[in-house]
């Protein structure tokens, strides 16, 4: 079963919500509606805390108190749907949590409604606070995938309209991504084989033929993922294309869906490969690779301005917008100035993983630094003994201190 929430894995801020969202889908698909409602409520509670955190307001306490604070501060005045979803998920989740097991039989309709509210809420979160910019896609009802035999194999195809006659210019530069099945147990299932192409063309003729549009099949490939150990669907490929900012053509609408993309067949083939590798978007590096970090011009400008200020002063405030890249910019500043001791303080322990990953990506270990915290890198005392260049996460400071004051603070902490 593919997930409606794969896009959450594209951003470090939202990726922590993915396991719970996927769990809610699985609970719905298996008919565990009460458990699903409870899971969705917990997600909504964490989203409420995130909203307050982004507004630099503290956790008021209970879910209800947090919602009251969000409402009183007018944080969602222009997003009443988001507030409604939060209250709806809170209400249904409370009922399922506090009722005795088996006392209420929640219906499939209630479970699906909860998932739709959760889908809208998490899409808003990823768009508002993350880097996700793809258009919202209607929730696909989760189902437990049936067991496929060797006699029914699913394939993904990419096709376009044949404009050789010049009558169909609308299809130029457009690709439709669909799926079909092939049941011949002895068929050649290699990529773009004659057997796969024949199965795909048979499926395409079933709907394109009635429109009188000649088509051109460009690619056919078995929809089997070794990573997921199962078949995937054309919707999985659509999600990867959406996540990769490949636009859909709003004019070419077929069968009530929107499966035409403004792209070429090579991009579709890359999207299929991404699904097979378990990646949410095209060209997402695997976890074993360390991509080279190149700061954007505005980030480099912030670093250079701070270096100039630190020649005469010991403090610099970065009043930067959300998602500016303060972490990477701070790391680059530290690396350029070769500070001996760096202490990062934060009220959100969850950032420890992203700080550690960015620490490695920007090449701090190669510059002679060690990362010390309770869970990542080496322990503080061991780092102190092993290396005189230490980067440690105590618990983010909105300002970066000059090296002398940082060194002094770090020495007291030791």
């Amino acid at each position: 079963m593919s997930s409606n929430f794969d896009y959450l894995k594209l951003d470090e801020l939202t990726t922590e919500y993915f396991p719970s969202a996927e769990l809610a889908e699985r609970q719905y698909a298996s008919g565990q509606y009460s458990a699903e409602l409870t899971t969705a409520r917990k997600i909504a509670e964490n989203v409420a805390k995130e909203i307050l955190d982004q507004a630099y307001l503290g956790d008021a306490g209970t879910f209800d108190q947090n919602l009251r604070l969000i409402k009183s501060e007018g944080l969602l005045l222009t997003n009443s749907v988001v507030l409604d979803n939060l209250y709806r998920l809170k209400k249904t989740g409370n009922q399922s949590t506090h009722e005795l097991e088996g006392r209420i039989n929640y219906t499939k309709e209630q479970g699906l409604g909860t998932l739709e509210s959760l889908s809208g809420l998490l899409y808003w979160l990823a768009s508002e606070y993350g880097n996700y910019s793809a258009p919202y896609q209607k929730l696909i009802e989760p189902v437990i995938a049936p067991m496929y035999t060797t006699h029914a194999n699913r394939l993904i195809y990419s096709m376009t309209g044949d404009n050789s006659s010049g009558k169909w210019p609308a299809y130029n530069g457009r690709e439709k991504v669909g799926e079909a099945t092939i049941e011949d147990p002895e068929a050649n299932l290699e990529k773009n084989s004659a057997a796969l192409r024949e199965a795909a063309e048979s499926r395409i003729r079933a709907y394109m033929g009635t429109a009188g549009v000649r088509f051109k099949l460009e690619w056919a490939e078995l929809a089997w993922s070794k990573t997921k150990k199962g078949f995937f669907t054309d919707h999985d490929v659509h999600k990867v294309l959406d996540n990769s900012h490949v636009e859909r053509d709003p004019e070419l609408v077929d069968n009530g869906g929107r499966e035409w993309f403004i792209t070429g067949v090579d991009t579709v083939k890359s999207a299929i490969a991404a699904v097979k590798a378990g990646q949410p978007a095209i060209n997402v590096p695997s976890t074993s690779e360390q991509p080279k970090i190149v700061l954007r011009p505005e980030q480099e400008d912030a670093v250079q301005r701070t270096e100039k200020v630190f020649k005469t002063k010991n403090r610099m405030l970065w009043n930067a917008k959300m998602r500016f890249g303060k972490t990477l910019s701070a790391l680059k500043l530290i690396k350029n100035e070769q500070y001996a001791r760096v202490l990062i303080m934060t009220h959100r322990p969850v950032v420890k993983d992203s700080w550690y990953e960015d620490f490695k990506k920007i090449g701090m270990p190669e510059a002679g630094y060690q990362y010390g915290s309770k869970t990542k890198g080496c322990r503080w005392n061991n780092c102190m003994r092993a290396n005189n260049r230490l980067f440690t996460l105590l618990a983010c400071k909105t300002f970066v201190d000059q090296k002398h004051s940082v060194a002094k603070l770090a020495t007291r902490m030791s």
Side-chain angles (χ1 to χ4, degrees):
M1 182 181 74
S2 60
S3 174
N4 288 281
F5 303 103
D6 281 335
Y7 65 88
L8 294 175
K9 297 185 287 185
L10 292 170
D11 191 276
E12 64 185 40
L13 184 143
T14 58
T15 188
E16 60 190 272
Y17 291 89
F18 175 75
S20 297
E22 185 184 40
L23 173 62
E25 285 183 304
R26 294 187 179 279
Q27 289 169 332
Y28 169 83
S30 59
Q32 302 176 52
Y33 305 126
S34 179
E36 175 217 336
L37 267 57
T38 301
T39 300
R41 180 198 181 280
K42 185 62 179 178
I43 295 172
E45 183 176 3
N46 287 330
V47 171
K49 292 179 180 179
E50 186 70 51
I51 293 171
L52 292 174
D53 187 38
Q54 295 290 344
Y56 301 102
L57 296 173
D59 187 348
T62 67
F63 191 4
D64 184 65
Q65 289 171 330
N66 284 338
L67 288 180
R68 290 176 184 271
L69 181 57
I70 289 172
K71 194 172 182 179
S72 65
E73 293 290 332
L75 300 182
L76 294 174
L77 282 177
T78 60
N79 295 283
S80 59
V81 174
V82 175
L83 188 60
D84 289 344
N85 281 336
L86 285 169
Y87 272 106
R88 187 178 299 114
L89 293 171
K90 172 183 173 292
K91 180 180 179 181
T92 55
N94 282 348
Q95 291 172 347
S96 63
T97 300
H98 296 124
E99 289 291 344
L100 294 175
E101 183 177 356
R103 187 170 175 177
I104 291 183
N105 293 320
Y106 291 96
T107 65
K108 183 177 182 180
E109 289 71 21
Q110 288 174 302
L112 186 58
T114 295
L115 270 188
E116 289 173 341
S117 296
L118 184 64
S119 176
L121 179 65
L122 290 177
Y123 172 80
W124 172 85
L125 179 75
S127 303
E128 183 72 14
Y129 300 135
N131 292 318
Y132 193 61
S133 60
Y136 177 73
Q137 299 299 317
K138 185 178 179 180
L139 180 83
I140 299 173
E141 183 179 357
V143 294
I144 297 177
M147 296 298 292
Y148 287 90
T149 68
T150 56
H151 300 290
N153 296 296
R154 182 178 295 170
L155 62 96
I156 300 294
Y157 64 82
S158 182
M159 53 83 68
T160 187
D162 183 355
N163 188 40
S164 57
S165 65
K167 296 181 179 180
W168 308 102
Y171 291 96
N172 288 339
R174 307 295 190 268
E175 291 289 324
K176 181 186 185 300
V177 181
E179 65 178 58
T181 57
I182 182 169
E183 299 187 5
D184 185 354
E186 298 181 357
N188 178 3
L189 301 180
E190 294 181 2
K191 292 181 180 179
N192 213 33
S193 67
L196 292 181
R197 293 181 64 87
E198 182 180 351
E201 289 178 346
S202 176
R203 172 73 184 102
I204 296 168
R205 282 193 293 269
Y207 60 87
M208 286 291 283
T210 59
V213 179
R214 296 179 62 183
F215 65 88
K216 179 182 179 182
L217 176 65
E218 301 204 282
W219 188 257
E221 182 174 341
L222 196 65
W224 174 265
S225 171
K226 292 182 180 179
T227 303
K228 294 184 176 182
K229 297 181 179 180
F231 287 98
F232 54 88
T233 72
D234 55 351
H235 293 294
D236 295 306
V237 183
H238 298 164
K239 287 179 183 178
V240 167
L241 290 168
D242 287 332
N243 294 339
S244 305
H245 307 293
V246 178
E247 295 183 4
R248 302 189 188 216
D249 191 322
E251 302 298 326
L252 295 176
V253 180
D254 57 287
N255 295 332
R258 294 174 56 243
E259 299 182 342
W260 288 90
F261 290 83
I262 306 174
T263 189
V265 64
D266 289 338
T267 300
V268 176
K269 289 159 68 174
S270 296
I272 296 172
V275 175
K276 290 188 173 184
Q279 297 173 344
I282 297 171
N283 294 330
V284 174
S286 65
T287 54
S288 61
E289 298 175 349
Q290 291 298 332
K292 182 180 179 181
I293 298 296
V294 178
L295 296 188
R296 301 191 304 272
E298 63 268 27
Q299 294 172 322
E300 283 284 4
D301 182 59
V303 172
Q304 293 171 9
R305 286 172 179 261
T306 306
E307 290 174 348
K308 291 180 181 179
V309 170
F310 278 0
K311 291 179 180 179
T312 57
K313 300 179 181 179
N314 291 327
R315 182 170 294 189
M316 177 71 171
L317 175 66
W318 286 357
N319 185 19
K321 63 182 180 181
M322 291 299 300
R323 322 310 301 167
F324 173 82
K326 295 182 287 293
T327 301
L328 288 173
S329 300
L331 286 165
K332 183 63 180 299
L333 174 67
I334 293 162
K335 188 177 179 181
N336 288 355
E337 296 296 292
Q338 299 184 347
Y339 294 153
R341 298 285 189 271
V342 181
L343 177 64
I344 304 300
M345 301 179 66
T346 178
H347 69 293
R348 298 182 67 208
V350 71
V351 304
K352 64 182 183 299
D353 293 337
S354 60
W355 270 96
Y356 185 55
E357 290 303 314
D358 288 344
F359 175 85
K360 293 186 294 181
K361 289 177 182 178
I362 208 165
M364 301 302 284
E366 289 80 2
Y369 286 90
Q370 290 197 47
Y371 188 101
S373 72
K374 288 184 178 180
T375 59
K376 298 290 182 180
C378 61
R379 300 285 295 192
W380 172 270
N381 290 336
N382 293 337
C383 286
M384 288 291 288
R385 289 193 294 267
N387 200 307
N388 63 353
R389 283 192 178 180
L390 178 63
F391 181 103
T392 188
L393 182 74
L394 178 61
C396 176
K397 238 177 177 180
T398 56
F399 61 89
V400 182
D401 284 335
Q402 178 61 293
K403 59 182 178 181
H404 299 298
S405 57
V406 171
K408 187 175 181 180
L409 176 59
T411 301
R412 286 204 300 269
M413 290 303 300
S414 65

